[in-house]
Amino acid sequence: MSLVLSDTDGVVDRRQPEGLTLAGHPQHAVGIDLGGGSIKGALVAADGRIEAQDRCPTDVESGEHGVADRIAALFESLRDGHGLSNDHIAGVGIGVPGVATSEGDVIIAPNLHWRHVPFKRILEERIRLRVEIDNDASVAAIGEARLGAGRGCESLFLITLGTGIGGGLVLGGGIHHGASFAAGEIGHVCMDPDGPVCGCGKKGCLEAFTSGPAMVRYVRRRLPEAVSTSLSNTESLSPETICTAAKNGDSLACEAVARVARYLGIAIANIINVISPDVIAIGGGISAAGRVLLDPIDAAAREYTLEGMFDHTRILPAKLGNDAGVLGASRLVLK
Amino acid sequence: MSLVLSDTDGVVDRRQPEGLTLAGHPQHAVGIDLGGGSIKGALVAADGRIEAQDRCPTDVESGEHGVADRIAALFESLRDGHGLSNDHIAGVGIGVPGVATSEGDVIIAPNLHWRHVPFKRILEERIRLRVEIDNDASVAAIGEARLGAGRGCESLFLITLGTGIGGGLVLGGGIHHGASFAAGEIGHVCMDPDGPVCGCGKKGCLEAFTSGPAMVRYVRRRLPEAVSTSLSNTESLSPETICTAAKNGDSLACEAVARVARYLGIAIANIINVISPDVIAIGGGISAAGRVLLDPIDAAAREYTLEGMFDHTRILPAKLGNDAGVLGASRLVLK
């Protein structure tokens, strides 16, 4: 039975169990970052502290019911390991690598091989607690807006730089889904209608110029004509080695980083011109390069933003790193 | 004295004067479209009908107090001409050609030579009624969302094609202002970082490719090499003559229209990729060209929108024409 603390009958129970406020609001949530390879879970306090975390393989082949079983087990282990019951937990928030409706149906999640999976219902039946599901990039964005780079801001655009370019948009303090439930796809804005073909099949997407693989491809293509560079056409060539070389002043690496930064800066300027968010946060693996990447992004964004608009938006490194997924997911059920 | 109909004391006055609902909510508003050349005003009913309209010169040189005097006179003439009193009118909404805060301060309006003018306060002191002020493109967008192309939609992006390219964004049923109060500047998103210099000073803005003057410039530049065209390098060459020639199959005119449509379509695709609004409405003088322009815009937008997102957004001609300003302004004070 759930313990309900009531102050309406004039008798207030002052013995506040761990995890419940006086008014009976649970003080914890479980955030789940569901990826194609692994499921990460965290028990998160109302103030954003991660109290415990754990992970397990996704095992996509087991289908949505197998995945639900593993999330339920992860949830129970986090709950029981901390000596809590369902009454202490507001619910389970899940970030999925795909498109989900506000009813918790996963319309499509390619890496999970899911189409129209009513995952909220499936999981709620198992764990008997509220479940909320949203796109992983949007979830990371709400994490950054509530607990990270934009803490306390009203509007934030998160751009994640990695193998792909992801985006999530927070407006009015909540996730902006748009009519398609897929808003925020900054990686697929067109930067050059005659540009290179992107993985999505369209031409000249931001991702086709600025993803990790695009950066590596650019360096490989320019290597034969490069006069003096520490980079070489080997297996180990990666966005990380390129960024490190750029920090050390390598001219080809600097050129590659500058190219990526310029495209990102222009895309960011366009976001500011149209949406004018309080914060643009830049995260993802490549963003670890730091100022060598962020400074030229900032410069290009300023150059292409309409006068008077630039200074109203802060462009900041994302703060939550690999925890953005679980932390943001916890905010789906906990304000 | 204002007539207040009350149903809280048990006695309800059933004699409902024109312009008041039983609960005492005014049924009219005055919408003002304040331009650099003229001030247009309309008395608008709650259901969006224009009941009367009038206009007068702006006379920018008379300053904000002179403009406030003329708006007050226009307001009184509309009110009195319809036999109404202030009690029947919810307030005055104003669209200004500039940036206004939610407190009704006009931060900047270049065509009016205004900077930091507390125009809401100035006008409220004169007319003793609620005044709300917003950017003219945003006001037109809320008009289209509530009464025009997007009637009843939650989110709409209005693009106006004319001497400049304007934009206004409605999200969650209300105007999205952004941190700078200047969101929606689609005319100044960068389409080509090495493109022609725009009037704003930046390079390759959408406006620099697709405004009326840009369309005319393109035709003038291409005329010497055009083999057979009905267009000629005369004073009368205009976006209208070019669109008419395109409808008649003139090849140079078709090329000019196709070029404008392609840039617009790509910009629209990017809006869909990032914001995914219910409706994108296309208005302004050039949009009168109709399907010859809208069909290729649609095709380019589809080509550059991420798969699965395009069909959730309707791309429609704006509906309110020259009345978008006064109608939208009326919605600032009347739901």
Side-chain angles (χ1 to χ4, degrees):
Chain A
M1 277 297 294
S2 72
L3 169 65
V4 177
L5 294 175
S6 160
D7 54 5
T8 55
D9 56 7
V11 182
V12 178
D13 188 340
R14 297 282 171 198
R15 293 163 306 169
Q16 193 181 162
E18 185 188 8
L20 279 189
T21 63
L22 201 58
H25 297 301
Q27 291 277 60
H28 310 266
V30 167
I32 300 284
D33 185 354
L34 172 54
S38 70
I39 305 170
K40 292 196 290 176
L43 180 72
V44 184
D47 64 5
R49 270 177 308 112
I50 292 181
E51 299 170 296
Q53 51 185 324
D54 204 354
R55 62 195 297 162
C56 66
T58 305
D59 188 9
V60 168
E61 300 310 318
S62 68
E64 61 261 32
H65 291 280
V67 170
D69 286 341
R70 269 181 301 290
I71 291 178
L74 199 54
F75 161 74
E76 283 161 16
S77 128
L78 288 165
R79 179 194 63 190
D80 301 346
H82 222 65
L84 302 177
S85 76
N86 271 13
D87 298 332
H88 305 111
I89 298 175
V92 176
I94 307 179
V96 296
V99 179
T101 69
S102 48
E103 285 79 40
D105 290 339
V106 179
I107 301 174
I108 183 162
N111 292 345
L112 303 175
H113 314 315
W114 288 5
R115 268 179 182 273
H116 295 286
V117 171
F119 199 63
K120 175 186 164 86
R121 186 174 60 67
I122 291 172
L123 194 60
E124 280 183 345
E125 280 173 7
R126 273 189 183 54
I127 64 172
R128 303 278 165 196
L129 209 59
R130 179 180 167 210
V131 171
E132 297 295 339
I133 299 177
D134 216 310
N135 167 263
D136 53 5
S138 298
V139 161
I142 198 83
E144 289 292 343
R146 299 254 180 94
L147 302 169
R151 196 163 191 137
C153 74
E154 276 289 295
S155 54
L156 176 143
F157 203 108
L158 172 67
I159 305 177
T160 55
L161 314 178
T163 309
I165 304 295
L169 176 54
V170 170
L171 291 175
I175 292 171
H176 175 76
H177 296 102
S180 60
F181 285 97
E185 283 288 4
I186 184 86
H188 300 282
V189 297
C190 177
M191 301 304 291
D192 178 355
D194 303 313
V197 175
C198 180
C200 75
K202 300 191 296 116
K203 275 194 209 161
C205 292
L206 181 65
E207 184 167 300
F209 290 106
T210 63
S211 68
M215 196 191 242
V216 170
R217 271 197 308 273
Y218 178 78
V219 167
R220 286 199 205 282
R221 202 168 62 238
R222 298 275 290 106
L223 261 173
E225 49 191 289
V227 180
S228 115
T229 176
S230 63
L231 300 171
S232 58
N233 197 350
T234 60
E235 287 260 319
S236 66
L237 188 67
S238 70
E240 289 72 30
T241 55
I242 296 168
C243 289
T244 303
K247 280 185 204 169
N248 295 329
D250 183 281
S251 64
L252 176 56
C254 285
E255 187 189 310
V257 169
R259 180 172 179 266
V260 162
R262 188 165 169 80
Y263 280 108
L264 285 170
I266 293 169
I268 286 172
N270 290 348
I271 293 294
I272 300 177
N273 287 324
V274 170
I275 301 175
S276 188
D278 294 325
V279 173
I280 291 178
I282 302 176
I286 301 176
S287 72
R291 299 315 318 177
V292 71
L293 180 66
L294 296 178
D295 285 342
I297 287 178
D298 221 74
R302 180 181 289 274
E303 184 180 345
Y304 287 96
T305 300
L306 195 60
E307 204 197 326
M309 296 186 74
F310 186 76
D311 291 335
H312 294 273
T313 298
R314 287 173 294 150
I315 304 175
L316 300 170
K319 248 183 160 173
L320 304 182
N322 291 332
D323 294 331
V326 291
L327 283 172
S330 76
R331 298 304 106 169
L332 297 179
V333 290
L334 204 59
K335 290 271 159 170
Chain B
M1 278 298 294
S2 72
L3 170 65
V4 177
L5 294 174
S6 163
D7 55 5
T8 54
D9 56 8
V11 182
V12 178
D13 188 340
R14 297 282 172 196
R15 294 163 304 169
Q16 190 182 162
E18 184 187 8
L20 280 190
T21 64
L22 201 57
H25 297 302
Q27 291 277 59
H28 311 266
V30 167
I32 300 284
D33 185 354
L34 172 54
S38 70
I39 304 169
K40 292 198 288 178
L43 180 72
V44 184
D47 64 6
R49 270 179 307 111
I50 291 180
E51 300 172 295
Q53 52 185 323
D54 203 354
R55 62 195 296 163
C56 66
T58 305
D59 188 8
V60 169
E61 300 311 319
S62 68
E64 62 261 32
H65 291 281
V67 170
D69 287 341
R70 272 181 299 290
I71 290 178
L74 199 54
F75 161 73
E76 283 161 16
S77 128
L78 288 164
R79 179 193 63 192
D80 300 346
H82 222 65
L84 302 178
S85 74
N86 272 13
D87 298 331
H88 305 112
I89 299 175
V92 176
I94 306 178
V96 295
V99 179
T101 68
S102 48
E103 285 79 40
D105 290 339
V106 179
I107 300 174
I108 185 163
N111 292 345
L112 303 176
H113 313 318
W114 289 5
R115 266 179 184 273
H116 296 286
V117 172
F119 199 62
K120 174 186 165 84
R121 184 174 60 69
I122 291 172
L123 195 60
E124 280 185 344
E125 279 173 8
R126 273 190 183 55
I127 64 171
R128 305 275 163 196
L129 210 61
R130 178 180 167 209
V131 171
E132 296 296 339
I133 299 177
D134 217 310
N135 166 262
D136 52 7
S138 298
V139 160
I142 197 83
E144 289 292 343
R146 298 255 181 92
L147 301 168
R151 196 161 193 141
C153 74
E154 276 289 296
S155 54
L156 175 143
F157 202 109
L158 172 67
I159 304 176
T160 55
L161 314 178
T163 309
I165 304 295
L169 176 54
V170 170
L171 291 175
I175 293 171
H176 175 75
H177 295 102
S180 60
F181 285 98
E185 283 288 4
I186 183 87
H188 300 283
V189 297
C190 177
M191 302 304 290
D192 178 354
D194 304 312
V197 175
C198 179
C200 75
K202 299 190 296 116
K203 275 195 209 161
C205 292
L206 180 65
E207 184 167 301
F209 290 105
T210 62
S211 68
M215 196 190 242
V216 170
R217 271 197 308 273
Y218 178 79
V219 167
R220 286 199 204 283
R221 202 167 63 235
R222 298 275 291 106
L223 262 173
E225 50 191 286
V227 179
S228 112
T229 176
S230 62
L231 299 172
S232 56
N233 197 350
T234 59
E235 287 261 318
S236 67
L237 188 67
S238 70
E240 290 71 30
T241 56
I242 296 168
C243 289
T244 304
K247 280 184 205 170
N248 295 330
D250 182 283
S251 64
L252 176 55
C254 286
E255 186 188 311
V257 168
R259 180 174 179 266
V260 162
R262 188 163 169 80
Y263 280 108
L264 285 170
I266 294 169
I268 285 172
N270 289 348
I271 293 293
I272 300 177
N273 287 324
V274 171
I275 301 176
S276 187
D278 294 325
V279 173
I280 290 178
I282 301 175
I286 301 176
S287 73
R291 298 316 317 178
V292 70
L293 180 65
L294 296 179
D295 285 342
I297 286 178
D298 222 72
R302 181 182 287 275
E303 185 180 346
Y304 287 96
T305 299
L306 196 59
E307 204 197 326
M309 295 186 75
F310 187 76
D311 292 335
H312 293 273
T313 298
R314 289 174 293 150
I315 304 175
L316 301 170
K319 247 183 161 172
L320 304 181
N322 292 331
D323 293 332
V326 292
L327 284 172
S330 77
R331 297 304 107 168
L332 297 180
V333 291
L334 204 59
K335 290 271 156 164

